[in-house]
Amino acid sequence: VINLGGGVLGDMGGFVAATYKRGIRFIQVPTTLLAMVDASVGGKLGVDFNGYKNHIGLFQEPEGVFIWPEFLKTLPECELRSGFAEVIKHSLIADKQAWEALERQDSWKIRNNWEGVIRHSVLIKSRIVKEDMREEGARMALNFGHTIGHAIESFYLNSDAPLLHGEAIAMGMIAESWLSLQAGFIRKNDFKKIQAYLKTVFEPKPILEKDIDALWELALQDKKNLRGTVRCTFIEGPGAFRVAQAVSREEFEKAIEELQ
């Protein structure tokens, strides 16, 4: 099976291939930035179920991943920006120098070196996945911003104004950076820089107080949770991370409020 398309198509096509007749071979040919830097790498395959992200899935590496940056010329800016959220995430969890380079740029838009950006992110993700394929430890670092981000994404999925994945994850990274600050893992100055940078690339969507209960219920369904406890990945300053950190209902609500 050749999966030519974005992250959703790659996940669905890979899932079908990995389960049909107990598994047939497949390759990924990602056509979006999000799929190139994240979804097509690492062997995670899954589909949403009853409004929950990736609730049915498995791990199965493709025969290969073929990335051709020329596909990016076909994308609208909003899709490039969505994929760029994962580029930011990889730098924040694993490469302090890359994060500082992003901060110094006049714009998030990369006009001439998408290949270098993609290669950098793929190398980071591949290294982490190789260390922990089944997501039992270090691979959880790749979920930075995703516990809260997935809850926000799922909440707005069937609304009149759904969010792209990267838009929701950017909000999640701000919220989980704030939680990292409250836990004493990062300095206030680092948080302010992360918050300011993400808000220059993405415009956080307003969240009403009445919606926080529903967001919390979605967060409780996250696959990284353990025994009913919501767990997030925190950062310990740019380039370092702390996985499986428990978050209370009160902390979650305050983190959402910080987005406002």
Side-chain angles (χ1 to χ4, degrees):
V1 176
I2 300 172
N3 297 317
L4 174 71
V8 171
L9 191 144
D11 263 21
M12 291 177 66
F15 175 79
V16 169
T19 53
Y20 181 65
K21 295 188 176 182
R22 295 201 181 104
I24 61 175
R25 296 180 301 156
F26 66 98
I27 64 172
Q28 306 285 41
V29 186
T31 59
T32 65
L33 181 60
L34 182 61
M36 290 177 186
V37 300
D38 187 60
S40 66
V41 180
K44 269 189 177 182
L45 306 166
V47 294
D48 296 351
F49 181 69
N50 280 351
Y52 298 122
K53 290 283 293 182
N54 302 321
H55 250 44
I56 301 175
L58 44 76
F59 293 92
Q60 181 64 54
E61 289 277 20
E63 291 282 304
V65 180
F66 296 89
I67 297 174
W68 192 45
E70 289 293 302
F71 278 123
L72 300 184
K73 294 178 180 178
T74 71
L75 297 183
E77 184 175 295
C78 62
E79 288 287 351
L80 286 172
R81 184 187 287 111
S82 177
F84 199 71
E86 297 290 351
V87 173
I88 297 169
K89 180 200 74 179
H90 288 139
S91 296
L92 279 172
I93 64 171
D95 192 332
K96 182 179 180 180
Q97 288 184 321
W99 159 247
E100 292 173 347
L102 288 177
E103 268 198 300
R104 290 193 297 268
Q105 291 174 359
D106 294 334
S107 170
W108 67 271
K109 301 174 188 176
I110 310 295
R111 300 192 183 280
N112 301 313
N113 190 31
W114 279 121
E115 183 174 345
V117 170
I118 295 165
R119 186 180 300 276
H120 177 260
S121 278
V122 168
L123 287 173
I124 287 175
K125 182 164 186 182
S126 297
R127 173 173 53 80
I128 293 173
V129 169
K130 186 176 181 180
E131 181 182 342
D132 177 25
M133 174 66 184
R134 308 288 298 186
E135 199 174 50
E136 296 169 344
R139 185 169 179 167
M140 291 183 187
L142 296 167
N143 290 310
F144 173 58
H146 283 60
T147 299
I148 294 178
H150 274 169
I152 294 171
E153 184 181 7
S154 296
F155 180 78
Y156 285 106
L157 192 62
N158 296 313
S159 72
D160 294 334
L163 294 174
L164 294 174
H165 176 74
E167 294 170 335
I169 297 310
M171 295 175 68
M173 285 193 284
I174 294 173
E176 292 179 21
S177 294
W178 183 82
L179 289 168
S180 302
L181 172 65
Q182 303 313 303
F185 294 152
I186 60 173
R187 299 174 300 174
K188 189 171 185 179
N189 187 49
D190 285 329
F191 167 69
K192 290 294 184 184
K193 287 181 178 180
I194 293 167
Q195 181 187 49
Y197 180 78
L198 285 167
K199 285 188 174 183
T200 63
V201 183
F202 302 90
E203 183 178 348
K205 189 178 182 72
I207 296 175
L208 302 177
E209 184 176 349
K210 69 180 181 64
D211 295 331
I212 292 178
D213 285 342
L215 288 169
W216 175 249
E217 289 301 315
L218 287 165
L220 284 170
Q221 292 293 325
D222 193 275
K223 62 185 179 297
K224 298 178 294 299
N225 295 343
L226 183 66
R227 300 187 185 95
T229 300
V230 171
R231 302 196 300 175
C232 294
T233 293
F234 292 173
I235 53 172
E236 293 184 316
F241 55 83
R242 182 79 67 95
V243 301
Q245 299 298 300
V247 175
S248 69
R249 170 67 169 75
E250 182 182 7
E251 290 169 329
F252 179 89
E253 182 172 348
K254 289 181 177 178
I256 295 295
E257 290 172 356
E258 180 61 33
L259 287 171
Q260 310 308 306

